[in-house]
Amino acid sequence: MVVPVLILLGVVFVYPTSIFLLRAFTHFNPPQVAGLDNLVWFLGDETNRIILVRTFTVASMCAVLTAIVAFPYAYCMTVIGPRGRTIMLGVLLLSMFLGILLRNFAWVILLQYQGPLNDILDAIGLDRIRFLGTAPAVVMGMMHILFPFMVLPLYSVLNGIDRRLVLAAQSMGATPMRAFRQVYLPLAMPGIIAGALLVFVLALGFFITPALLGSPRQALMSQLMFLQFDLQAAFGRAGAMAIVLLIIAMVFVILSNIVQRRSRAYGDAS
Amino acid sequence: MDEEKPTSLFARRLLVVTVTLTALWLILPLLVIVPISFSGENSFAFPPRTWTLQRYVDLAQPMWIGALINSLVIASLVAVGASFLGTLTSFAITRSTSRLIVIVRALVLAPQVVPIIIVGLGIYLVFLRLDLNGSYVGFVLAHTVLALPFVVIPVAATLQTFDRDLERASASLGAGPIATFIQVTFPIIRPALLSGTFLAFLSSFDELVLALFLQSPSLVTLPVLLYRRMTDTIDPTVAAVATIQLLFVTTCMIIALFLQRRKDSNDQAPAAET
């Protein structure tokens, strides 16, 4: 039953991605073997290293900030009545359904120099800020898109937490704050980590948002890859970047798995 | 669930305020697009100083109509293809006893997680050789791969909780496998399949990055055209398209909500009688 799907995935995903990644080891003219030249080129260039670090900073910022904003939202979805939950889910879906491009477009309007946000800053006596073309603008645009990817896994974990445990802690004398910190938060942790990791990995690959809200001077990895392709069809260089990006993303996924397993083992032992 | 006492009124109020602000943050930015679509200026200045309906008239140009038709055709084919293949895969994932099925599951989900630019560059290379760049076939194949998870995740989840005794009962009462599928299995997975198909359609309709690689002068999709009109020129017609899409999506959601409520009350009605 899976044969047609496997053929499709093979032809349109596995094979293309692999030959593209393998291009990293060839020169501009494919038969010519370049060995690690492209990787050396990428890691040897300071601008490239800055872009790599920037990409990871932006992705981490997105993961942390989205987790902070999403936690109350997801928590509220577990305590509110069914009608309220439908509305909260509706708000989430409505923003999702408009599409990445148009939501970013909305942020272009909001953040432009003569835009509403700057008008507000102006009205309360602050200076206008050039948001567009900066990393903070990119983070703002990306958070808006990644928010549902944080809320949904988080909600499914929070919904499974037996909140009588928190009540039990309180009845044994814990303050609400302490009961939350020592009972609820550790139980919520797997959801927070899963959501933040998903957001982080997705954020690493964002292309449209940095292209619209960022600038070439504040480029992220995806833009750099696209430029290598667009300007000089340097598939080798783009491939080398893709390999670096994938390896680091995988390291993060594995690390967080280890951390999660550790904390679970620790939780069992205590 | 509701036996929890209010830990403190303050905490509860804080939660309500935070969540309301978050909801506004999700929705309000979308609404700034609407006035821009009536802007009489060739800029995205907000609020506009002069007003016009010209943007909506401009949408009747062949350029926009053509891109819209391309997007609709591709997204419809993707929705059909992804729902068919996705259903097959969901059955395989939930019913196979092979250990390799874990790999299939990971493979289906992978294209959503691997940076899209990597997938795009790879597909460009391969489709160049197969002469699929700038063709409907190329678009539909590439978008179907991206759309599969939207069908597989909900349908596989439904099948996982599915009581297979229902199928056995149907079989023992003499129904063939096909009759069992049509009369028993399909109605159960239908809601998941429908929402999956809808999301698959939407994911293709909205897809830009692969489209940037696959497009050709003769085959441009709506997101590609919108992207160009945002970056190469500053064209408020983009806002008109966004406003129409916003209206359409909102209407769809209200209808869905309405249908859901009616279905809920229908479901409850017999229960109330007994």
Side-chain angles (χ1 to χ4, degrees):
Chain A
M1 265 196 300
V2 287
V3 175
V5 175
L6 286 181
I7 293 174
L8 179 72
L9 284 170
V11 175
V12 188
F13 175 65
V14 179
Y15 177 65
T17 315
S18 345
I19 68 158
F20 166 59
L21 292 176
L22 285 176
R23 277 290 188 97
F25 306 106
T26 64
H27 236 282
F28 282 94
N29 308 317
Q32 224 177 328
V33 178
L36 297 174
D37 281 5
N38 288 313
L39 276 171
V40 172
W41 163 81
F42 175 69
L43 294 172
D45 187 298
E46 210 200 330
T47 324
N48 291 338
R49 284 200 303 266
I50 292 174
I51 290 175
L52 184 64
V53 171
R54 185 186 295 131
T55 307
F56 277 85
T57 318
V58 165
S60 327
M61 294 265 292
C62 284
V64 173
L65 292 175
T66 313
I68 293 172
V69 183
F71 189 87
Y73 200 86
Y75 176 77
C76 189
M77 277 173 71
T78 66
V79 291
I80 203 170
R83 181 166 293 182
R85 189 158 39 228
T86 311
I87 293 174
M88 289 180 78
L89 210 59
V91 167
L92 215 57
L93 292 179
L94 184 63
S95 115
M96 267 176 103
F97 285 169
L98 196 64
I100 295 177
L101 187 61
L102 295 179
R103 267 182 292 165
N104 281 330
F105 174 60
W107 282 93
V108 170
I109 297 171
L110 273 177
L111 294 178
Q112 61 187 329
Y113 195 68
Q114 300 290 342
L117 206 63
N118 266 318
D119 287 344
I120 294 173
L121 286 182
D122 207 28
I124 58 174
L126 293 169
D127 286 336
R128 287 179 185 268
I129 302 173
R130 270 197 198 283
F131 289 109
L132 286 185
T134 66
V138 175
V139 172
M140 281 191 249
M142 277 162 80
M143 279 176 67
H144 200 233
I145 287 157
L146 291 167
F147 185 76
F149 294 96
M150 183 78 217
V151 169
L152 295 175
L154 190 55
Y155 167 70
S156 73
V157 170
L158 295 188
N159 206 25
I161 294 178
D162 186 348
R163 282 188 299 127
R164 283 173 304 186
L165 292 173
V166 181
L167 289 183
Q170 283 182 40
S171 73
M172 287 189 275
T175 61
M177 194 58 211
R178 196 179 148 135
F180 175 78
R181 231 185 27 235
Q182 293 197 334
V183 178
Y184 193 82
L185 210 54
L187 289 169
M189 228 23 172
I192 298 176
I193 293 178
L197 192 72
L198 181 65
V199 167
F200 177 76
V201 171
L202 290 174
L204 284 180
F206 261 54
F207 173 73
I208 303 168
T209 312
L212 282 174
L213 295 170
S215 75
R217 270 177 294 135
Q218 295 280 317
L220 300 184
M221 288 289 278
S222 288
Q223 285 162 282
L224 196 59
M225 275 189 241
F226 188 78
L227 270 185
Q228 290 296 336
F229 154 80
D230 204 31
L231 296 181
Q232 40 190 348
F235 282 99
R237 290 180 166 183
M241 289 191 249
I243 287 180
V244 173
L245 198 61
L246 284 180
I247 288 178
I248 303 182
M250 253 188 286
V251 167
F252 270 85
V253 173
I254 293 168
L255 271 182
S256 85
N257 270 340
I258 293 173
V259 170
Q260 253 180 316
R261 212 166 298 153
R262 276 262 177 83
S263 68
R264 213 171 298 146
Y266 172 77
D268 286 346
S270 60
Chain B
M1 278 287 258
D2 289 308
E3 65 229 50
E4 189 201 40
K5 285 171 215 143
T7 39
S8 84
L9 205 59
F10 175 71
R12 185 152 286 201
R13 279 192 184 148
L14 190 68
L15 183 67
V16 170
V17 170
T18 321
V19 168
T20 313
L21 285 178
T22 314
L24 290 178
W25 167 71
L26 283 170
I27 296 301
L28 279 187
L30 311 180
L31 298 182
V32 300
I33 297 175
V34 179
I36 297 288
S37 71
F38 299 106
S39 168
E41 286 148 81
N42 274 322
S43 74
F44 297 143
F46 184 93
R49 275 168 295 248
T50 50
W51 304 88
T52 175
L53 285 171
Q54 189 57 35
R55 311 297 167 200
Y56 290 90
V57 178
D58 288 348
L59 284 180
Q61 285 167 6
M63 175 178 76
W64 289 102
I65 301 284
L68 175 67
I69 289 174
N70 285 340
S71 278
L72 286 176
V73 169
I74 291 168
S76 310
L77 292 173
V78 168
V80 173
S83 56
F84 177 69
L85 290 175
T87 309
L88 283 184
T89 316
S90 305
F91 272 100
I93 287 175
T94 45
R95 306 231 161 139
S96 164
T97 47
S98 161
R99 294 203 147 190
L100 292 175
I101 212 69
V102 181
I103 300 175
V104 175
R105 197 192 173 96
L107 259 183
V108 169
L109 301 182
Q112 277 289 329
V113 184
V114 172
I116 186 77
I117 195 96
I118 298 179
V119 184
L121 283 162
I123 287 180
Y124 179 82
L125 280 175
V126 171
F127 281 12
L128 203 61
R129 258 181 253 167
L130 300 174
D131 204 21
L132 285 175
N133 282 334
S135 73
Y136 275 117
V137 179
F139 265 101
V140 172
L141 288 178
H143 281 179
T144 305
V145 166
L146 282 189
L148 271 179
F150 293 109
V151 178
V152 172
I153 293 173
V155 174
T158 311
L159 283 174
Q160 214 112 51
T161 56
F162 176 78
D163 187 357
R164 291 202 68 185
D165 284 344
L166 291 173
E167 281 179 352
R168 290 194 195 100
S170 158
S172 74
L173 291 173
I178 295 172
T180 301
F181 178 79
I182 294 174
Q183 291 173 358
V184 179
T185 318
F186 184 72
I188 290 175
I189 61 169
R190 191 168 52 200
L193 187 59
L194 274 180
S195 70
T197 308
F198 177 63
L199 287 176
F201 177 90
L202 219 59
S203 79
S204 163
F205 191 75
D206 184 42
E207 206 288 323
L208 170 63
V209 182
L210 293 188
L212 283 178
F213 287 104
L214 293 170
Q215 56 138 338
S216 71
S218 58
L219 180 53
V220 168
T221 59
L222 193 59
V224 173
L225 188 58
L226 286 170
Y227 181 70
R228 277 207 216 130
R229 292 269 132 185
M230 274 181 227
T231 50
D232 299 351
T233 56
I234 291 181
D235 180 2
T237 314
V238 170
V241 177
T243 306
I244 293 172
Q245 209 167 318
L246 191 63
L247 256 175
F248 181 73
V249 168
T250 317
T251 318
C252 279
M253 280 188 63
I254 290 170
I255 292 173
L257 219 70
F258 180 72
L259 289 179
Q260 181 71 36
R261 186 162 297 170
R262 221 178 50 177
K263 188 167 156 285
D264 283 350
S265 55
N266 278 351
D267 287 349
Q268 275 161 11
E273 281 165 24
T274 51

